[in-house]
Amino acid sequence: NNNNNNNSNNQCANNDSSNENDNGILSTIPDGYLDYYTVVPRKEDDPYAKILLQMQMEDEIISTIHELMESYDEANEIILELNKELEELQESIGGNDETYYGVDGEIHALKDECLEMEAGGKYSYELCLFGSASQRDIGATSGGTNLGKWDGVKNNDDNNNGERIFMWTGGAKCWNGPVRSATAYVTCGTETKLLSAEEPNVCQYEFQI
């Protein structure tokens, strides 16, 4: 037995020596040396390999789901901000009330604009969109008679030429008559201006714009 052990030890020594370089360092490491073995990939038909591959795929799917959820949250935040901006813009043009700024806020560009003209050689008229309507003596720049406050806009259903009707109501009460009001019939033109002013009925004024 001692001889066999000696022979075995000598053989290991010889093997180790054959792998050593001049500095006594192993140039190659045999498989199993000091219980270290070369890692060998599992074969595709290995059941454990299939399980590991499935786990890897599940991890990738979960990671992708998290990324998509983050993208979804970011998109929702952007949508909320855009909806807020849209609500503010809609509010600035009268919201969903088409009777104030017209359909889709079509007359919002005329906000705070006042139109003036003289008629009949005695009076001047001033119509302020989204404001008030007034009748004054020619030459006067303030005061006068209140013909009403802005009451909105509507389509003229009596014709199909796209005419709009601007309305001012709740003006000063006529002596022994109705409360004053003003109605303007509006058609498209190259500029915005008053074309005519009339009083077809007592304290009810009509204009062409």
Side-chain angles (χ1 to χ4, degrees), residues 55-184:
M55 292 175 62
Q56 180 182 357
M57 292 176 64
E58 289 175 352
D59 288 340
E60 291 175 354
I61 291 172
I62 291 173
S63 177
T64 301
I65 291 174
H66 285 311
E67 291 176 359
L68 291 173
M69 290 178 66
E70 290 178 0
S71 298
Y72 175 80
D73 291 339
E74 291 175 358
N76 268 342
E77 290 181 3
I78 294 174
I79 290 173
L80 289 174
E81 291 177 1
L82 292 175
N83 282 335
K84 183 178 179 181
E85 291 180 10
L86 179 61
E87 288 176 1
E88 291 175 352
L89 289 172
Q90 286 180 332
E91 185 65 25
S92 71
I93 60 171
N96 294 322
D97 185 4
E98 296 181 350
T99 65
Y100 196 80
Y101 284 117
V103 179
D104 296 327
E106 63 184 359
I107 58 174
H108 181 262
L110 301 177
K111 186 173 184 282
D112 299 328
E113 185 168 346
C114 293
L115 308 175
E116 297 182 36
M117 73 169 296
E118 296 179 1
K122 184 179 180 180
Y123 296 112
S124 67
Y125 295 91
E126 181 182 60
L127 302 181
C128 292
L129 279 70
F130 319 111
S132 60
S134 302
Q135 179 194 62
R136 301 187 183 100
D137 291 333
I138 291 177
T141 58
S142 62
T145 303
N146 178 18
L147 304 184
K149 292 183 178 180
W150 178 257
D151 194 29
V153 56
K154 66 179 181 179
N155 294 335
N156 189 350
D157 296 329
D158 293 336
N159 58 51
N160 296 318
N161 64 357
E163 186 178 59
R164 302 291 190 263
I165 299 176
F166 295 170
M167 297 167 291
W168 290 262
T169 58
K173 190 177 185 307
C174 280
W175 179 82
N176 199 26
V179 170
R180 288 177 172 84
S181 63
T183 303

Side-chain angles (χ1 to χ4, degrees), residues 13-30:
N14 291 334
N15 289 338
D16 292 344
S17 299
S18 63
N19 289 333
E20 292 179 359
N21 57 23
D22 295 338
N23 297 323
I25 300 174
L26 293 176
S27 58
T28 60
I29 298 176

